[in-house]
Amino acid sequence: MRQAMDTLTVKTRGLGLTEITQEVRRVLASAAIGTGLVTVYCTHTSASLLIQENADGDVQRDLQAFFRRLVPEGDSLFIHTTEGPDDMPAHVKAALTQTSLAIPVNEGHMTLGAWQGNYVFEHRTAPHTRRIVVQVIGE
């Protein structure tokens, strides 16, 4: 059993999804593991990770619209506003999604579906630089 680890630096444009599938594939290829598991981990509390459709941009726009409606900025429920009105909603959105992905590896490739990609889901309004850890384990 072998393993490899790398950290991606992902610059987001603010609210929205940033695809990182190719970057994860590069880490997997350099690990030279044929069968195993790749884990992708977001080291932040106001961004998350998704496996989502990468063929139609409307899917991403609809997801963003849904989360804006589900967790709006300026809700009087939130008392944590020190970092701005988008911060606490960003924490809630991250809690409702996921901060890690586990993807099986077969014949050196992630077993993603035809229209699936790996995404960083930025929940803050301003652009951020996010650290994403990728670990590969297998044979």
Side-chain angles (χ1 to χ4, degrees):
M1 195 69 71
R2 296 179 321 218
Q3 64 178 326
M5 186 181 302
D6 199 356
T7 301
L8 306 176
T9 300
V10 178
K11 294 184 182 303
T12 70
R13 297 174 305 278
L15 285 173
L17 286 86
T18 302
E19 187 165 9
I20 59 169
T21 308
Q22 294 305 325
E23 292 85 346
V24 175
R25 283 185 178 140
R26 278 194 283 279
V27 174
L28 180 56
S30 69
I33 289 177
T35 303
L37 186 69
V38 59
T39 302
V40 186
Y41 177 71
C42 178
T43 65
H44 305 276
T45 60
S46 57
S48 57
L49 297 169
L50 294 178
I51 292 176
Q52 197 47 255
E53 179 175 329
N54 61 5
D56 185 350
D58 287 344
V59 172
Q60 295 177 26
R61 285 185 285 282
D62 289 346
L63 277 170
Q64 291 174 59
F66 173 78
F67 275 95
R68 276 193 305 271
R69 181 183 293 170
L70 185 65
V71 190
E73 287 185 25
D75 191 319
S76 62
L77 172 70
F78 302 134
I79 58 173
H80 173 71
T81 59
T82 307
E83 297 177 55
D86 68 327
D87 188 48
M88 192 60 217
H91 291 301
V92 173
K93 291 171 188 176
L96 293 172
T97 52
Q98 51 199 343
T99 56
S100 66
L101 305 172
I103 306 159
V105 174
N106 187 35
E107 296 179 359
H109 301 283
M110 291 183 283
T111 56
L112 295 172
W115 308 115
Q116 289 183 319
N118 309 117
Y119 290 89
V120 173
F121 194 178
E122 178 62 66
H123 303 300
R124 298 296 305 267
T125 304
H128 281 75
T129 300
R130 302 300 191 174
R131 287 183 49 240
I132 307 298
V133 178
V134 180
Q135 182 182 34
V136 186
I137 188 165
E139 314 180 307

